[in-house]
Amino acid sequence: MPALAAWLNDETNWVRSRAALALGRIGGDGALAVLWQAMTERRNPKAGHLAPAIAAFGPPVVDDLIALTADPDPDLRALACRALGSTADDRALPALEHLAAHDLARTTLGGLVATAAKQGLRTAHRIRARTAST
């Protein structure tokens, strides 16, 4: 796992993305801790690859992600929105709806947190529709 953790800092986006995906698939407390630390330390403002990896841990991470939507850092709020959307958990929807309507803060890359929340809502609805049809 230390090698995967190191690859989360790689210069190449696809290496960072594959490392995060592998950690999400491995699962367990250690992998989650590595991903959570990478997300909250903001090593890379383009850390969107961490959201689906953290979301792969499912219901146990939802409350922590919801709490992160109140963080003063807009980058963390935006990442939390993306991860929450990927969980498609009912508990996430009110937080995403609130941020989509009210959070006009800009991330480091210039995006709005509200836009990330709207993307999270779309992702959640898409996942929910897909699972309802199976």
Side-chain angles (χ1 to χ4, degrees):
M1 196 166 338
L4 288 173
W7 287 343
L8 290 174
N9 295 318
D10 194 88
E11 294 293 321
T12 310
N13 187 47
W14 70 267
V15 172
R16 290 189 308 269
S17 180
R18 295 282 198 261
L21 179 65
L23 286 164
R25 286 184 177 163
I26 290 169
D29 292 342
L32 179 59
V34 168
L35 290 166
W36 194 263
Q37 181 179 6
M39 185 171 74
T40 57
E41 287 182 355
R42 291 183 48 219
R43 295 178 186 165
N44 184 335
K46 296 181 181 180
H49 57 279
L50 296 171
I54 289 174
F57 288 84
V61 298
V62 171
D63 288 334
D64 289 335
L65 288 168
I66 291 170
L68 198 57
T69 65
D71 193 274
D73 184 338
D75 288 332
L76 288 178
R77 292 196 308 275
L79 282 172
C81 288
R82 290 187 185 98
L84 283 169
S86 295
T87 68
D89 191 293
D90 288 340
R91 296 172 291 165
L93 300 180
L96 291 172
E97 289 166 354
H98 175 77
L99 291 173
H102 302 289
D103 196 334
L104 300 178
R106 292 215 174 263
T107 66
T108 302
L109 297 176
L112 293 176
V113 174
T115 302
K118 290 173 188 172
Q119 291 169 342
L121 283 167
R122 281 193 300 272
T123 299
H125 292 308
R126 207 171 32 249
I127 291 169
R128 293 163 68 88
R130 190 173 43 228
T131 56
S133 66
T134 58

